[in-house]
Amino acid sequence: MTERPGSGQGNDPRSAELAERLAVVRKRIADAAGTAGRSDRPPSLIVVTKFHPAEDIRRLAALGITDVGENRDQEAAAKALELADLDLTWHFVGQLQTKKAKSVARYAAAVHSVDRPQLVDALAKAARNEMDSNGRSPLDCFIQVSLEEREHDGDGGTHRGGAVPADVPLLAERIAAADSLNLAGVMAVAPLGAPPEPAFEKLAGISAGLVAAHPAATGISAGMSQDLEAAIRFGATHLRIGSDILGSRPAVG
């Protein structure tokens, strides 16, 4: 009998590869949490599966992964539909256009890239419609903060998105005022070409300010394959790990 991909049994080389990679990452997380005195409060692992096939997510689910991150709505929506039989929590972690809010609200439990008032409003409306029609839970929203040293740049160059720190309180109030949204915390990507520690320390300070005004908004979504140890050291509650678990992205035709 042919086994289903991701069953975790048989001689599926890809499942074995993913299991090995996942074990290495889990050990890194456990070691970093121990070093930070957080063995009793390790961060949640979100496996970012962009550009990788749904079959890989099925394999990861068989290995105990429950949280999956995607960057592009079209790809995420298709995978969520295909894998609807699995008990997965979908996180949208990429830059999001307001016109995609309606689609994202259909499958995502959380959006980690909320960075402007217009997006808050679009997500609030979309999530409310889904709550009314399908009974979904409020949508978790992480405010993406830009940690780059340029407060007044545009969207060009290597800018990686996010609100400037001064705008976080306003966005937080807007999210908190929407009963279809849940203010989960903050998110950031460490700037390219610089040590991650100062950026994550800054994010921890921004998080502390947010929690002072909104005590339940304790989430810190930070840390990727190359900098997860630094993120854990400075309080990350959610890690977004892709390449160290899945390997290089497949060739896109």
Side-chain angles (χ1 to χ4, degrees):
M1 182 175 69
T2 302
E3 293 188 9
R4 191 177 200 176
S7 66
Q9 301 174 0
N11 298 311
D12 175 21
R14 179 59 169 163
S15 288
E17 178 191 4
L18 291 174
E20 183 177 346
R21 287 176 169 272
L22 182 59
V24 171
V25 169
R26 281 176 166 157
K27 185 177 187 305
R28 285 176 63 193
I29 294 170
D31 289 348
T35 299
R38 295 181 51 194
S39 293
D40 59 333
R41 296 174 290 109
S44 299
L45 171 60
I46 300 166
V47 181
V48 180
T49 53
K50 62 179 179 179
F51 304 124
H52 291 272
E55 289 81 2
D56 276 352
I57 302 175
R58 193 172 291 280
R59 292 180 175 100
L60 288 167
L63 295 168
I65 291 299
T66 58
D67 291 82
V68 178
E70 287 283 339
N71 290 58
R72 302 191 303 179
D73 171 62
Q74 185 174 357
E75 181 180 354
K79 289 177 180 176
L81 182 63
E82 181 176 347
L83 301 170
D85 59 303
L86 299 178
D87 187 17
L88 295 172
T89 298
W90 294 87
H91 300 255
F92 192 86
V93 301
Q95 295 298 286
L96 181 59
Q97 297 174 294
T98 56
K99 67 182 181 181
K100 298 290 188 178
K102 183 176 180 180
S103 176
V104 169
R106 293 193 185 109
Y107 61 83
V111 174
H112 291 240
S113 49
V114 180
D115 60 359
R116 58 197 187 280
Q118 299 94 322
L119 182 55
V120 175
D121 295 346
L123 288 171
K125 180 179 178 181
R128 167 48 60 192
N129 288 339
E130 287 297 309
M131 289 173 74
D132 291 342
S133 61
N134 301 315
R136 70 151 294 149
S137 300
L139 178 67
D140 283 351
C141 291
F142 291 79
I143 299 172
Q144 183 175 355
V145 185
S146 173
L147 300 178
E148 296 171 353
E149 294 300 324
R150 42 182 188 164
E151 299 285 300
H152 305 288
D153 57 1
D155 291 329
T158 59
H159 184 52
R160 306 184 82 171
V164 296
D167 288 345
V168 170
L170 173 65
L171 288 170
E173 292 295 337
R174 205 174 189 106
I175 294 168
D179 63 2
S180 59
L181 304 179
N182 176 55
L183 179 60
V186 293
M187 180 276 243
V189 179
L192 292 168
E197 287 83 1
F200 291 147
E201 184 175 18
K202 181 177 180 181
L203 183 65
I206 295 168
S207 172
L210 178 64
V211 171
H214 302 273
T218 56
I220 300 177
S221 174
M224 299 190 292
S225 292
Q226 69 274 18
D227 54 25
L228 70 85
E229 286 86 0
I232 292 172
R233 176 184 170 193
F234 289 103
T237 61
H238 296 71
L239 305 172
R240 309 180 308 274
I241 310 299
S243 59
D244 274 12
I245 294 172
L246 286 148
S248 301
R249 66 181 57 167
V252 178

